[in-house]
Amino acid sequence: MPKLRLLTWNINSVRLRLPLLAQVVRDLAPDVVCLQETKCPDELFPHEGVAALGFPYRAVRGMKGYNGTAILSRLPFAPRGGDPDWCGKGDCRHLGVDLDVPGGLELHDFYVPAGGDIADREANPKFAHKLDFIAEATAWNAARGPARRAVMVGDLNIAPLECDVWSHKQLLDVVSHTPVEVEALTGWQRAGAWHDAIRHFVPPPEKVYTWWSYRARDWQAADRGRRLDHVWVSQDLAGALRGHVIHKPARGWTQASDHVPVAIDLDL
DNA sequence: ATGGTAGGACGCCTA
């Protein structure tokens, strides 16, 4: 089995940014692409255009206007049945598949709720939803035991480390980097015995960002980024990690997403 | 200290 390249990207509308997805595929040649925020009902998903990029195997879980995930693959896979409907909302924030590679590979694509502006579960139902979502995912991983032959990726909407944000002190009260969120995310990671594939290659205290706000005059000059997008692999795959890409040029493209593609290479 | 931009869908929610 040659190296497998897995890529995750919050595309912020798959229909609007299909040409940018084509550019990502030209630049990085991923074997599997996990998208978040497709903002596209399944019946309107641009299957033809995505198939033309070299992805004959596709799973989509979308809705009108918000959220939505998709997995696009050059390799066959089987959709996973029986994964939870998180918080019982049917809000299209997760897709799981079993990739048809030697030895098998379980792949999960997550879009964790952003959580609104106020970091208080009583005052802000969106923040409560974010914490509840992660608590459910943590319990799910704990019940399944340590992950084996598995990868989970996605926009987790939390930057857990001090070096995952442009200013730890200035973001301590900002949703995405509050201590309660960081504790929740690391608890999830511990419950599944997940290994942080990006920090495998870029250990602290080096800064890593995958998202820069639209609300900056000059995102590049300000460089007020956060690492919200993650790739976790089961411990048994840590030794199979061969490389990673944070595709920062994508943030500077015309009509860019505010997130950039993140990829890892696995030698299975 | 505040408000800044973007997408989907067309008044306003979400990020």
Side-chain angles (χ1 to χ4, degrees):
Chain A
M1 174 83 194
K3 267 191 295 196
L4 183 72
R5 175 165 281 189
L6 302 176
L7 182 143
T8 179
W9 188 26
N10 179 322
I11 193 171
N12 189 13
S13 173
V14 67
R15 284 176 288 177
L16 187 71
R17 278 185 251 284
L18 189 58
L20 297 190
L21 179 61
Q23 189 62 49
V24 169
V25 171
R26 281 194 291 274
D27 289 352
L28 300 183
D31 298 295
V32 181
V33 173
C34 295
L35 299 176
Q36 304 88 37
E37 280 208 270
T38 53
K39 295 185 174 178
C40 181
D42 291 349
E43 62 273 19
L44 298 178
F45 192 88
H47 282 286
E48 200 174 315
V50 170
L53 301 180
F55 300 110
Y57 305 98
R58 300 175 298 278
V60 298
R61 179 170 292 155
M63 61 191 280
K64 184 170 152 182
Y66 307 98
N67 311 328
T69 52
I71 297 179
L72 323 172
S73 178
R74 302 194 195 284
L75 307 164
F77 60 70
R80 291 177 55 78
D83 287 340
D85 171 24
W86 307 97
C87 303
K89 285 179 172 287
D91 59 358
C92 304
R93 294 178 179 276
H94 169 246
L95 256 181
V97 301
D98 291 313
L99 275 179
D100 189 7
V101 296
L105 188 69
E106 186 176 320
L107 174 64
H108 293 281
D109 179 11
F110 278 95
Y111 176 51
V112 169
D117 290 331
I118 303 166
D120 178 340
R121 73 150 55 238
E122 310 304 328
N124 174 11
K126 290 195 285 230
F127 194 71
H129 178 211
K130 182 177 199 173
L131 296 180
D132 291 346
F133 186 103
I134 293 170
E136 272 193 22
T138 303
W140 175 69
N141 264 163
R144 285 159 42 98
R148 299 265 182 264
R149 296 283 299 184
V151 178
M152 67 156 276
V153 307
D155 176 3
L156 305 185
N157 266 315
I158 296 174
L161 305 177
E162 295 192 15
C163 50
D164 290 334
V165 293
W166 65 275
S167 168
H168 170 62
K169 284 184 181 172
Q170 288 180 251
L171 290 176
L172 272 171
D173 297 327
V174 175
V175 172
S176 74
H177 191 62
T178 63
V180 62
E181 291 170 89
V182 169
E183 181 53 41
L185 192 71
T186 53
W188 182 6
Q189 192 175 355
R190 208 178 309 119
W194 294 107
H195 179 70
D196 184 333
I198 302 307
R199 286 300 176 188
H200 176 96
F201 293 109
V202 192
E206 187 171 338
K207 297 278 193 186
V208 181
Y209 310 141
T210 65
W211 173 90
W212 291 261
S213 173
Y214 283 127
R215 303 176 192 177
R217 285 188 197 90
D218 184 336
W219 71 274
Q220 202 162 20
D223 199 26
R224 295 186 167 190
R226 306 177 202 171
R227 185 170 73 111
L228 303 179
D229 303 276
H230 297 269
V231 180
W232 294 350
V233 302
S234 52
Q235 299 288 342
D236 56 342
L237 295 180
L241 286 165
R242 290 292 177 271
H244 84 292
V245 182
I246 311 285
H247 201 44
K248 190 171 172 180
R251 185 61 182 83
W253 293 344
T254 301
Q255 208 163 39
S257 169
D258 45 353
H259 296 252
V260 299
V262 174
I264 59 147
D265 295 326
L266 281 174
D267 195 354
L268 292 172

